[in-house]
Amino acid sequence: ATLHFDPDKGLSIHGRGQAVDLADFGHIAGLAWSGNGTAGFAVEGPYEDIAIASQVALRDFTFWGFGLGVAEGRVDYHDRVLSLPGVSGQKGKTQYFGQGELRWSPSGELFTRADLKIPKGQSSDVVDVIAGLSPSLEVFQGTVGGDAAGSLHLEGPASRFGGTVTLDFADTTYYGRRL
């Protein structure tokens, strides 16, 4: 770590965590998250313009009610923007890829943008990802089979964002029966 007395030179701190538990960090702007893994980080810049860059690898990752499983990628923070420029992950046997950002306005309002792609996966894994959002979805856990692919785009203020979710299901079964 380097800390300068000159505010224009600021600081430079680099580190690595081998046993990171997100519960130790609390919430991000009231959004719940959990998971365990590793992280490398750099905190740098003049004192009035600090930037954080990190690389994370997480297991049992849950964010905002979505059970995302294993996830890894960059997480950066600068100028009121928490960005995830490239995230990849796997829930069960289903891989996903995406990017997103949380942006706070000067008044403190949170804006979101997220894009996620599932090129090819299993319906049961997709249900597991979204099951925590509603008790009515939880009843489908362990009961749905088949293939799934899709994409998600969300954008707008966190209090009322909108977007598009496209899911394509094939060879779908419910309790072993074809639909």
Side-chain angles (χ1 to χ4, degrees):
T2 303
L3 305 172
H4 296 278
F5 288 108
D6 181 351
D8 291 334
K9 289 185 178 180
L11 56 83
S12 178
I13 301 171
H14 296 257
R16 180 134 188 90
Q18 295 298 324
V20 175
D21 183 349
L22 296 180
D24 293 341
F25 299 97
H27 294 88
I28 295 179
L31 305 176
W33 65 342
S34 64
N36 300 287
T38 61
F41 65 89
V43 180
E44 299 180 307
Y47 291 122
E48 290 188 16
D49 192 26
I50 300 291
I52 302 169
S54 64
Q55 183 74 29
V56 298
L58 301 167
R59 298 174 311 284
D60 302 321
F61 180 51
T62 300
F63 182 71
W64 212 346
F66 294 96
L68 299 169
V70 175
E72 63 180 48
R74 281 185 34 215
V75 180
D76 301 328
Y77 180 80
H78 184 251
D79 197 26
R80 295 192 188 121
V81 178
L82 179 71
S83 63
L84 298 96
V87 175
S88 63
Q90 186 166 331
K91 178 70 173 187
K93 296 180 180 177
T94 302
Q95 290 186 321
Y96 59 87
F97 308 92
Q99 60 187 8
E101 81 179 17
L102 301 174
R103 178 182 299 270
W104 287 267
S105 71
S107 67
E109 186 173 13
L110 175 62
F111 292 85
T112 62
R113 183 190 51 75
D115 292 292
L116 185 74
K117 293 194 185 316
I118 302 169
K120 181 178 180 188
Q122 296 185 350
S123 301
S124 59
D125 296 334
V126 173
V127 168
D128 285 347
V129 167
I130 63 174
L133 298 176
S134 168
S136 62
L137 295 171
E138 290 175 0
V139 300
F140 291 103
Q141 285 185 291
T143 62
V144 176
D147 299 323
S151 63
L152 168 135
H153 173 78
L154 300 174
E155 192 165 0
S159 61
R160 60 187 183 282
F161 63 81
T164 305
V165 177
T166 303
L167 293 171
D168 296 317
F169 292 103
D171 300 322
T172 305
T173 61
Y174 181 64
Y175 282 107
R177 293 185 164 180
R178 287 185 58 83
L179 298 179

